[in-house]
Structures are given as C-alpha cells and as structure tokens.
Amino acid sequence: MRRESRSCFNCEKRDGGPDGTVLELTRKGGDGFYDVIYTMDVILGDPGKSYPMLVDTGSSDMWVASSGCGSCRSAPAVYDPAASSTSIQTSQTFSYNYLAGSVLGSIYWEQVTIGTYTVLHQAIVAATNVANEALDMGFSGIIGLALPPLSNVSTILGIGSGGGGQDGATIFSNLFGLPSPQGPSHQFFSILLSRPGFDSRDKSANAWPSRMGIGAHVDEVVHAFSDDGFENKIQWATMTSTSLGYTHWKTRMTSVTVFKDGAVLDVQLPRGGDGGMQPIAALDTGGSIMLASKKICDAIYGSWGVSISEDGKYYVPCKQPLNMTISLSTGSPIPIHPLDMSSYINNDRASNPVTCIGSLQANELLGNRNSPADIVLGVPFLRNVYTIHSLGRSTDSGQTGTSTDDDSVPRIGLLPITDSSLALHEFQNVRELGLAPDGGRDQNNRDPEDTKRSMGVLGKIMLGVGLFAALCVLLFGVRWIVLSKRFKSKKRNGLASEEGFQMREWAETIKRRVTRRGPDTSEFGVPENIAGDVATPSALGHGSIRRRLTTKSTKRQGSGPFAGFSFLTFIGARRLGFGGGYRRTSNPVEVPDRQPTEDEVRQQKFEEGGMGEAKPDE
C-alpha cells in the first residue's frame, strides 16, 4: 500500500458553511480494556458552555449530565437548564439502555453549536440518572451519530424535518437540514481515530490524528492517498436494514482471515442472527472494544487455539501477535493492527505481564434474531479504517463523497489505512522489546499510572531525606541547649568550661612549659622573646622551618558551651605531643617542681646528640 507522508502543510482549512468543516477529536484513556474513548467539544445554551461529548455512531440521541444528577458527580462539566436562556423544557422524559449502561432524564430543546454550525432548537436529554457510564474518563455525555429511526427522542417528539425546529430530529438531521448557505452542502460525516503511542505522524505510516469531518473529508487522509486516487480507494459497503428502516451503520461481514505460523486461515463464520448467510457487523465509535456472539468469538479465537476462560473472557499471550483481516460487504480485506487485538489487563504494563485480554469479547445480547447485529466493530477495528457515513443525498451537483447508485440510501465508505507489514514490526517493538512503535524509547506510550508510581517513590525518598535532616537539626538543638545550661551552671560556680579548662588557662600552662626550656628556644621552636603573646597549638616549628602565629587568641577565649575546643585544636594538641589528648579538669593545671618529663628527656638527648639545634631569632 503506497503512502505519502502524513504531513499536510498545504491542506485546505475549512470554516464551515457549504464547504463543511473538520473538527479535532480528543482520545482519552489508556490502551487497556474498556478504557478508550473519543470526545468532541459541544457548546450548549446561552451563555454557551463547552461539554466534552463522547462520539457514538452506535446510538442516535444526545444526552448530557445535568446538575440534578447524583450519579454524575465525576463528569467534567454538568448542564444546568436553568442557567441557559435558550433552554425550553418539553415535559417529556427519556430512558435508554445501551449494551452496557443506561440513561434516564428530561428532554429539553437547547441551542447547540458544533464547530461553526449552530442549531437553535436541538432536542437533548438532561440526564438525572446515569448507570455504568465511565464519566470520570472525561466526558459529560454522548452525541449519538446513528441514523434517525434509532432515536428514542424522535419517537417521543416526532422525527421532524431537520433544520432546528422544535421536534425530535437528531443532531445531524438538523445540521444537514440547515438552509443554504448555513449548512454543509455534502451530507456525510467522516471519522479518523488515533492509536495510543502513535501520536507522531513523522515516525510511523500507521500514525493518524483523531478527526471528524462534517460535510468534508479529513485532509490528512486525502493528502496521503492522493497519488493512489483517493476516491478510487474508498470501498462502499451496502447497508442492511430492519423493519424500522436503516438504524445502525451496519453491513454484512463477509469474511475473516487469521495468520498463524505463517499460514493464512479462513475463519468459518456462523450465519447471521437474522438468518442471513453472513453475520451483520455494526460500526460503533462508542465501544472501546469489539463485541460479538460467542459463536463468532469461538470461531476467530479457535483459529489461534484460544478458548473462553472460566470468567467468560478471552485471554491471549501478550507477545503473541493476533494478525487478522475483516472484509465487509463486497470490499477487500481490512488489516487489523495486532496492537489493537489485545491489551494489558487493567492497563498494567509495569509488571511486564505475560497474559493480555483480547479486544474481541462475547456478549449474549448479540447474535439472535432480536439483536441489532452479530458483531459490533468498536474502536479496535475503527482505528484501522477511515469511515465515511453518508446520508445519500446532496444539496448541489458537487462531490458528495458517496459514489452510490441510489442517492436516497445511506451508505458506508471504508478506506483501509493500516500497513500490515509495518504493523507486525511495531508490535514486536512494543510487546517484545518494550520500545516505542518506531523502535525508539517508549516515552509517548508510557502508562500514566507508571508515572504516578515513579513520582510517588521519588516523593517518598525526598520525604525521608527531609525528615532525617529535620531530626538532625532537632538533636543538635537539644544538645546545644543542654550544653549551654551546663556551661552557665558551672560558670556561676566558678568552674572551668565543659572541656575541662579554659583556653587562657591552657595557654598559660603551655607558656610555663615553654619557659622551662633553654634561654634561646622553646621545646616547640618558639623564641622566648614573645612576651605578651600566647603560643597556641597552631604554632608549629620543625628544625629551621618556623611558623609563628603572633596574633593573640582572643577569639578562642570566648565564653560558651564549646569555648576552648574545636576539632582543629584537638588535632593540634595531638601533633604537639600531648599524647592522651585533653585531660578534663576543673582547676588550672599547676606545674610543681618535679623531675623532667619524657618529652624533656627526649629533647635533651636530641640536643646532646648534635642532630640539630634550634636557632634563635636573628
């Protein structure tokens, strides 16, 4: 499949009106089970307030969490009809059950703006009770994009003619019913969905943005397939109808192929629940996984040797690529990226899990005569195809994007966008090597919870260091207070300092020892003519090398709990030959007449041996 770069610097920018518009969708959630949605911003009321609404092609009504909904507290924004000057209450109530989840509320007519298009009286539901809808993922409601016959609101208020009258018309019936030149000329919408970890279009041919076109195609897709002929690459699927007419965007699933051990296997699909030769497949952007009857699931997973587990789910090895294609109607096979076919359980990738959960799961409500379909192709499938939802009519003779024989029939356009060869390489990079899809460091594909856990560990380390430092400061303060009290107590009693003697007394003791030496030089090489100065432990003399400190030691004679002591003076005392270090005493040291000390004997022998003689100052 030939592709150009996804960069589209010269793509046409549309501002709405007859030419249509292209809106950005926001992907929310991770890449795990039941945790990916796509939202668009919708403005309700006057003054206008923006609400992130889940884009859902599987339903037709629009509802939003209201201020009176007790179960909607996790919604990012809630709608208050009383705060809008354009809200009109209809006195009608609404209830709807989805395959998963339900909604109950009151119907209002409200001004709704999507992009540059505004509908003055759109029927919406102000939800007062919402069950099994994960609003905490970042959406306030659902904008239903299925066909009008499926709408419950239309059944209650009447289907209307579109254009924004006070009736039950769906949002796109009203948008495409706007009078020219206000509304889009081409009555179709298109959807393109992004994949987690593939946000950089320059790094992978399988990376696409999330876009929705209203009456216009997404520029990036048109640009990428321009050489191949964009219009010629679109596959048009024939839709299936019910007794109510065309309700869902659904068609027949004609074939499924899987790849196992280098072999291509055709899956033997069961008949459709309606008795048709092939099962019916519905396209649903509101489903974060694919759902099917158990017969279809068993047929597909059985090709890989996978069977349903005791909890009713299908699990697969995380490092096993599930390569498959799906063909709809008369179209060619659509490759599915293997990263879309399974996901980490609870989005847990930090523990390097071995088992993943399949993106296709069984649902007992599908596959019977009353079912809307046999398989619901949700987000995992729709990431691999550009879809065009056409209402089959146009207000001018220009390009409609439908290319159908009967412009009165809705059609589905499909354009495969996944490069299957590259997809397998990207799966190996992510699942087997723990890298980004392009083989680089896995930065964009990191689990947000992993980041939270990493920050939590760092926070704990910093907290521990901070507490240790605070404890050290506290202990030092307590020690200082205790020593200060002791010093003050001893000072009042006339005792020496905490270290046994005051510096002045200690210095006088050294001076007396110095004056006992010869007439010229002291034991430490300090001349005797330093009367009035104090010989401190810093005065070092070795042979003819003399260092003399003649500054009085007034700073070291201060009062305080640590007066007269420092680490340096302790080391100095050791080097000056005091041997045993400081000896604690409460009284000045008296030097009585006595026999020469060992130091004096050694010094005398040293002088008598003629090995050196201290020279007096010149």
Side-chain angles (χ1 to χ4, degrees):
M1 185 183 300
R2 185 179 177 184
R3 300 281 174 75
E4 290 187 6
S5 170
R6 297 302 176 275
S7 300
C8 192
F9 301 106
N10 298 318
C11 287
E12 181 181 0
K13 303 303 180 183
R14 300 177 179 87
D15 297 324
D19 293 332
T21 188
V22 177
L23 305 176
E24 184 172 352
L25 303 181
T26 302
R27 187 187 72 243
K28 297 180 179 179
D31 65 347
F33 193 52
Y34 280 122
D35 66 352
V36 178
I37 62 172
Y38 295 83
T39 66
M40 65 184 300
D41 292 331
V42 177
I43 298 176
L44 303 180
D46 185 12
K49 182 177 179 180
S50 180
Y51 300 85
M53 305 288 279
L54 187 151
V55 177
D56 182 20
T57 57
S59 65
S60 297
D61 295 309
M62 180 189 296
W63 63 265
V64 60
S66 72
S67 56
C69 179
S71 57
C72 304
R73 300 184 185 278
S74 59
V78 293
Y79 168 67
D80 183 6
S84 172
S85 63
T86 53
S87 66
I88 302 174
Q89 189 171 11
T90 66
S91 72
Q92 298 292 331
T93 59
F94 168 93
S95 64
Y96 191 80
N97 294 319
Y98 299 93
L99 284 178
S102 62
V103 177
L104 175 67
S106 300
I107 303 176
Y108 287 80
W109 285 302
E110 183 59 278
Q111 178 175 292
V112 175
T113 299
I114 298 177
T116 57
Y117 298 112
T118 297
V119 176
L120 296 180
H121 300 101
Q122 174 62 47
I124 68 171
V125 176
T128 55
N129 186 50
V130 176
N132 297 325
E133 293 288 350
L135 299 177
D136 57 350
M137 291 183 63
F139 69 101
S140 294
I142 288 179
I143 178 170
L145 304 180
L147 293 158
L150 186 62
S151 170
N152 277 14
V153 172
S154 296
T155 302
I156 297 172
L157 299 180
I159 197 168
S161 59
Q166 293 186 4
D167 51 39
T170 63
I171 180 62
F172 270 92
S173 293
N174 280 329
L175 282 178
F176 293 132
L178 291 173
S180 181
Q182 299 178 31
S185 298
H186 308 304
Q187 299 189 6
F188 70 92
F189 64 90
S190 55
I191 293 179
L192 179 68
L193 301 181
S194 64
R195 181 180 295 109
F198 288 74
D199 296 326
S200 176
R201 299 198 305 275
D202 295 331
K203 293 185 177 181
S204 172
N206 289 327
W208 298 91
S210 295
R211 301 279 191 270
M212 179 175 179
I214 301 176
H217 288 295
V218 175
D219 296 322
E220 286 86 350
V221 179
V222 175
H223 180 72
F225 290 92
S226 59
D227 285 353
D228 295 334
F230 170 72
E231 289 286 340
N232 298 329
K233 301 294 289 187
I234 299 174
Q235 306 173 16
W236 292 100
T238 301
M239 290 183 59
T240 60
S241 62
T242 66
S243 59
L244 297 175
Y246 296 99
T247 55
H248 296 84
W249 298 102
K250 59 186 181 180
T251 186
R252 296 286 177 179
M253 185 170 67
T254 53
S255 68
V256 173
T257 60
V258 301
F259 299 83
K260 180 182 179 183
D261 300 329
V264 180
L265 305 177
D266 291 324
V267 177
Q268 298 299 315
L269 296 173
R271 296 173 67 96
D274 65 343
M277 293 298 295
Q278 293 106 7
I280 297 175
L283 307 185
D284 182 13
T285 57
S288 60
I289 63 170
M290 297 183 289
L291 296 174
S293 66
K294 186 176 181 298
K295 290 182 180 180
I296 294 178
C297 290
D298 287 341
I300 294 176
Y301 281 115
S303 302
W304 290 302
V306 176
S307 58
I308 194 168
S309 63
E310 294 180 356
D311 63 357
K313 293 182 174 60
Y314 296 87
Y315 298 93
V316 297
C318 290
K319 296 183 179 180
Q320 177 181 346
L322 303 182
N323 293 303
M324 65 180 292
T325 66
I326 294 177
S327 297
L328 300 177
S329 188
T330 58
S332 59
I334 299 173
I336 310 300
H337 201 298
L339 285 173
D340 291 324
M341 286 302 300
S342 64
S343 58
Y344 297 108
I345 301 173
N346 296 325
N347 203 26
D348 175 22
R349 74 180 67 189
S351 60
N352 192 23
V354 175
T355 302
C356 284
I357 191 164
S359 298
L360 173 65
Q361 295 295 325
N363 187 290
E364 59 183 7
L365 298 178
L366 300 174
N368 56 66
R369 187 167 295 275
N370 297 322
S371 301
D374 300 291
I375 181 171
V376 177
L377 299 177
V379 165
F381 171 80
L382 295 174
R383 286 174 179 157
N384 298 274
V385 62
Y386 172 64
T387 57
I388 304 164
H389 305 257
S390 173
L391 296 182
R393 59 185 186 273
S394 174
T395 60
D396 63 15
S397 59
Q399 174 190 357
T400 64
T402 60
S403 299
T404 63
D405 296 330
D406 185 357
D407 284 345
S408 65
V409 177
R411 297 295 174 97
I412 303 173
L414 304 167
L415 178 58
I417 58 175
T418 294
D419 186 325
S420 57
S421 299
L422 179 60
L424 180 59
H425 179 68
E426 291 169 339
F427 179 89
Q428 293 170 342
N429 283 337
V430 173
R431 293 289 178 84
E432 297 181 13
L433 303 178
L435 303 173
D438 64 343
R441 291 188 60 186
D442 187 4
Q443 296 177 345
N444 296 327
N445 202 26
R446 289 194 63 186
D447 179 7
E449 295 299 322
D450 292 347
T451 303
K452 292 180 181 179
R453 284 190 288 268
S454 299
M455 293 301 294
V457 172
L458 179 61
K460 291 178 180 178
I461 294 175
M462 296 301 295
L463 178 62
V465 172
L467 291 176
F468 177 76
L471 180 61
C472 292
V473 172
L474 178 62
L475 293 177
F476 182 83
V478 173
R479 171 68 174 169
W480 189 88
I481 293 173
V482 172
L483 294 179
S484 178
K485 290 182 177 180
R486 289 183 180 178
F487 173 78
K488 292 178 179 179
S489 176
K490 292 185 176 183
K491 187 175 182 180
R492 286 194 299 268
N493 297 329
L495 300 177
S497 70
E498 175 68 16
E499 300 303 328
F501 49 84
Q502 298 175 351
M503 284 295 297
R504 183 179 296 277
E505 297 166 346
W506 175 67
E508 291 294 332
T509 302
I510 294 177
K511 184 176 181 180
R512 284 192 292 271
R513 294 190 59 188
V514 169
T515 56
R516 292 178 58 88
R517 304 306 306 155
D520 297 325
T521 308
S522 73
E523 177 184 1
F524 309 114
V526 179
E528 289 295 300
N529 60 353
I530 58 171
D533 290 344
V534 177
T536 69
S538 298
L540 305 180
H542 300 281
S544 61
I545 301 176
R546 300 192 305 274
R547 297 183 181 179
R548 188 170 61 172
L549 180 63
T550 58
T551 304
K552 296 185 178 180
S553 303
T554 55
K555 293 184 179 180
R556 294 190 179 272
Q557 298 177 22
S559 60
F562 297 103
F565 176 81
S566 73
F567 179 74
L568 292 178
T569 55
F570 175 76
I571 296 298
R574 288 278 189 177
R575 296 186 63 186
L576 286 172
F578 282 90
Y582 287 107
R583 180 168 53 89
R584 295 174 180 255
T585 176
S586 58
N587 296 311
V589 178
E590 299 290 341
V591 185
D593 293 333
R594 53 178 173 78
Q595 296 296 323
T597 64
E598 293 181 2
D599 292 337
E600 294 170 347
V601 171
R602 284 197 300 270
Q603 180 68 18
Q604 184 176 0
K605 290 181 178 181
F606 178 84
E607 295 174 352
E608 291 174 354
M611 298 180 64
E613 183 176 359
K615 298 180 180 180
D617 289 342
E618 295 178 0

